[in-house]
């Protein structure tokens, strides 16, 4: 029987390493009532150290030698913009390589211990994602960022652990390319490793990534993968800001090592939205148009396979007919919930009109 709530006895760092957990704890404040949870997490990570060593011995040389035969495809878009649906559909392609939920939780032991550990994790994992009721499973495609946090500690996703340090974390971590060398190089190594392990784990040859954090990393990813393709999907800022605010609040109980402060407001989400959208627009100007596709979420959900066919043609990706059959089967099996079952808070509408009117104009959205 799958659980329904999103609270766990350990942190999402359980699949990390003791060294990484200690580095996070040294640089951020863990509140007293969460120390037992962190201690249990540290203990679980310690138990898995032996398995991590075994996987390194068996696969590290293969990972170091691995070369992708096709450029990666990165799905980018602000959170709650339809990136999950787009990612899930593109990963139905039998050539797709992608990170799974299991890999993001246990990136160090994905290739050797999934045969028994996946069953245990599925027991603790809710059958549906909190707030939007999207189906969850350890084998489903998942964005890479939680896995990146378990491999190293340079990520804005630390705000899920330390919500009272939101401003500091966003300020220090959003622009990954500006990190000092001693932190940037481990990030790049972890990024490549998570992609290669995804390919080895799924058997795919074309990496399909989905990570909203990559909106602020396009230039860095281009340096690492010069022929990479980017799919930018966007949605009206009223809805993404309201939706992300509610979504993050629903996630905190399963991740937090600090209490959520009263200062965590919708305005913080708006500021993040502005920063990331302006970063995207600056990088978009430097992208080869042949390596970028832009779509609107409202148009995409009304003609999913039509937009996907256009993306395949635009990037010159082969095998769409074969992928289409599996995409249609996925849509039949997992009908999409209604994402518009709520209205944005009036404060969001007012703030967006005041502070993000320029972005609404750029992306073709009307104020109300």
């Amino acid at each position: 029987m799958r659980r329904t709530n999103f609270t766990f006895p350990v942190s999402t760092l359980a699949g990390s390493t003791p060294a990484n957990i200690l580095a996070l704890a040294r640089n951020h404040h863990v509140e007293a009532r969460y120390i037992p949870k962190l201690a249990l997490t540290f203990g679980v990570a310690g138990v898995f150290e032996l398995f991590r060593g075994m996987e390194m011995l068996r696969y590290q040389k293969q990972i170091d030698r691995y070369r992708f035969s096709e450029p990666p495809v990165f799905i980018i878009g602000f959170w709650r913009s339809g990136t999950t649906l787009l990612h899930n559909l593109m990963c139905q392609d039998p050539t797709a390589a992608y990170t799974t939920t299991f890999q993001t939780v246990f990136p160090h032991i994905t290739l050797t211990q999934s045969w028994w550990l996946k069953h245990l994790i599925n027991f603790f994992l809710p059958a549906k994602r909190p707030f939007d009721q999207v189906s969850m499973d350890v084998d489903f495609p998942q964005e890479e960022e939680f896995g990146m946090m378990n491999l190293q500690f340079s990520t804005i996703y630390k705000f899920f652990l330390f919500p009272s340090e939101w401003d500091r974390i966003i300020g220090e971590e959003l622009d990954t390319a500006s990190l000092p060398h001693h932190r940037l190089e481990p990030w790049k190594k972890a990024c490549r490793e998570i992609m290669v392990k995804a390919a080895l784990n799924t058997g795919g040859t074309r990496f399909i990534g989905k990570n909203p954090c990559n909106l602020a990393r396009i230039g860095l990813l281009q340096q690492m993968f010069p022929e990479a393709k980017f799919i930018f999907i966007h949605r009206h800022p009223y809805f993404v800001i309201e939706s992300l605010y509610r979504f993050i609040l629903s996630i905190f109980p399963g991740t937090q090592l600090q209490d959520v402060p009263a200062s965590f407001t919708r305005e913080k989400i708006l500021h993040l939205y502005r920063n990331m959208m302006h970063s995207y627009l600056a990088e978009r100007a430097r992208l080869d148009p042949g390596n970028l596709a832009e779509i609107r979420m409202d148009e995409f959900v009304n003609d999913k396979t039509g937009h996907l066919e256009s993306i395949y043609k635009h990037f010159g990706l082969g095998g769409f007919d074969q992928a289409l059959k599996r995409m249609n089967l996925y849509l039949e099996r997992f009908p999409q919930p209604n994402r518009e079952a709520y209205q944005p808070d009036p404060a969001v509408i007012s703030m967006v009109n005041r502070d993000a009117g320029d972005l609404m104009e750029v992306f073709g959205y009307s104020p109300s």
Side-chain angles (χ1 to χ4, degrees):
M1 181 71 177
R2 297 283 293 278
R3 60 191 289 143
T4 58
N5 65 343
F6 202 75
T7 57
F8 312 103
V10 296
S11 162
T12 51
L13 296 171
S16 186
T17 64
N20 196 44
I21 294 171
L22 286 175
L24 284 163
R26 280 195 301 267
N27 286 281
H28 300 276
H29 173 61
V30 179
E31 293 182 359
R33 74 189 189 99
Y34 297 102
I35 289 176
K37 181 176 183 177
L38 183 65
L40 182 57
T41 302
F42 185 87
V44 171
V47 169
F48 285 120
E49 274 291 272
L50 175 62
F51 296 126
R52 182 174 75 91
M54 291 168 56
E55 182 151 308
M56 286 182 64
L57 284 173
R58 183 171 176 183
Y59 284 102
Q60 194 61 54
K61 288 184 179 178
Q62 184 177 355
I63 291 169
D64 292 342
R65 292 194 301 262
Y66 189 92
R67 296 293 182 270
F68 283 96
S69 59
E70 297 184 59
V73 178
F74 296 108
I75 297 170
I76 54 175
F78 198 72
W79 295 264
R80 317 302 297 155
S81 297
T83 54
T84 297
L85 175 59
L86 179 56
H87 189 223
N88 286 345
L89 286 169
M90 291 199 70
C91 289
Q92 300 311 303
D93 189 320
T95 68
Y98 54 88
T99 54
T100 63
T101 298
F102 181 82
Q103 184 185 352
T104 61
V105 178
F106 292 103
H108 295 287
I109 56 176
T110 300
L111 303 177
T112 55
Q113 305 304 317
S114 63
W115 63 274
W116 66 273
L117 192 53
K118 283 198 300 188
H119 300 291
L120 179 62
I121 300 306
N122 245 0
F123 175 79
F124 286 102
L125 191 72
K128 294 185 181 294
R129 202 164 66 175
F131 178 62
D132 61 3
Q133 299 303 298
V134 170
S135 296
M136 296 181 69
D137 188 271
V138 291
D139 286 325
F140 284 2
Q142 184 60 264
E143 67 181 65
E144 307 94 77
E145 199 66 19
F146 275 113
M148 288 293 290
M149 183 164 64
N150 280 336
L151 289 168
Q152 48 80 62
F153 60 85
S154 296
T155 168
I156 67 169
Y157 271 20
K158 289 184 289 190
F159 67 62
F160 282 111
L161 305 172
F162 309 108
S164 68
E165 299 179 47
W166 173 282
D167 292 336
R168 173 195 163 193
I169 290 168
I170 298 298
E172 292 179 354
E173 305 286 353
L174 187 62
D175 183 7
T176 305
S178 68
L179 290 172
H181 183 268
H182 71 277
R183 289 180 60 190
L184 179 58
E185 290 307 307
W187 184 91
K188 291 165 70 174
K189 181 177 184 295
C191 178
R192 185 183 180 279
E193 179 176 318
I194 207 167
M195 292 170 63
V196 172
K197 278 197 173 184
L200 297 176
N201 183 49
T202 61
T205 57
R206 178 192 302 141
F207 181 77
I208 308 293
K210 187 269 288 194
N211 191 345
C213 297
N214 285 341
L215 271 171
R217 299 174 179 148
I218 295 173
L220 177 59
L221 291 172
Q222 275 192 296
Q223 292 174 19
M224 296 173 65
F225 310 101
E227 297 303 317
K229 315 299 181 186
F230 296 89
I231 307 171
F232 174 64
I233 182 168
H234 56 92
R235 183 186 184 192
H236 200 300
Y238 293 166
F239 289 103
V240 294
I241 291 166
E242 179 68 25
S243 184
L244 181 58
Y245 175 74
R246 298 189 191 194
F247 185 74
I248 288 177
L249 287 178
S250 75
I251 295 293
F252 277 144
T255 60
Q256 68 194 88
L257 297 174
Q258 295 173 346
D259 288 337
V260 181
S263 61
F264 179 73
T265 63
R266 292 170 172 86
E267 190 167 11
K268 290 190 182 296
I269 305 298
L270 172 62
H271 290 162
L272 179 61
Y273 176 81
R274 281 182 52 81
N275 286 340
M276 298 198 82
M277 289 299 108
H278 283 295
S279 177
Y280 167 70
L281 291 174
E283 293 295 341
R284 182 177 72 172
R286 304 183 184 99
L287 273 175
D288 181 339
N291 290 336
L292 173 67
E294 288 192 348
I295 56 177
R296 290 173 59 122
M297 175 181 163
D298 53 352
E299 295 176 352
F300 172 64
V301 296
N302 288 326
D303 184 13
K304 304 175 187 69
T305 56
H307 278 83
L308 286 163
E309 183 176 17
S310 296
I311 288 169
Y312 270 66
K313 288 180 179 177
H314 180 67
F315 290 150
L317 307 179
F320 178 73
D321 290 339
Q322 186 178 9
L324 179 61
K325 296 176 183 177
R326 296 177 57 161
M327 291 172 183
N328 284 327
L329 286 173
Y330 175 87
L331 291 170
E332 290 175 11
R333 185 180 177 191
F334 301 105
Q336 300 304 300
N338 180 12
R339 293 176 180 267
E340 307 289 85
Y342 61 87
Q343 290 299 315
D345 188 279
V348 169
I349 296 174
S350 176
M351 286 189 298
V352 171
N353 289 346
R354 183 190 68 219
D355 297 333
D358 57 333
L359 292 168
M360 282 201 290
E361 183 176 353
V362 167
F363 297 120
Y365 295 108
S366 300
S368 63

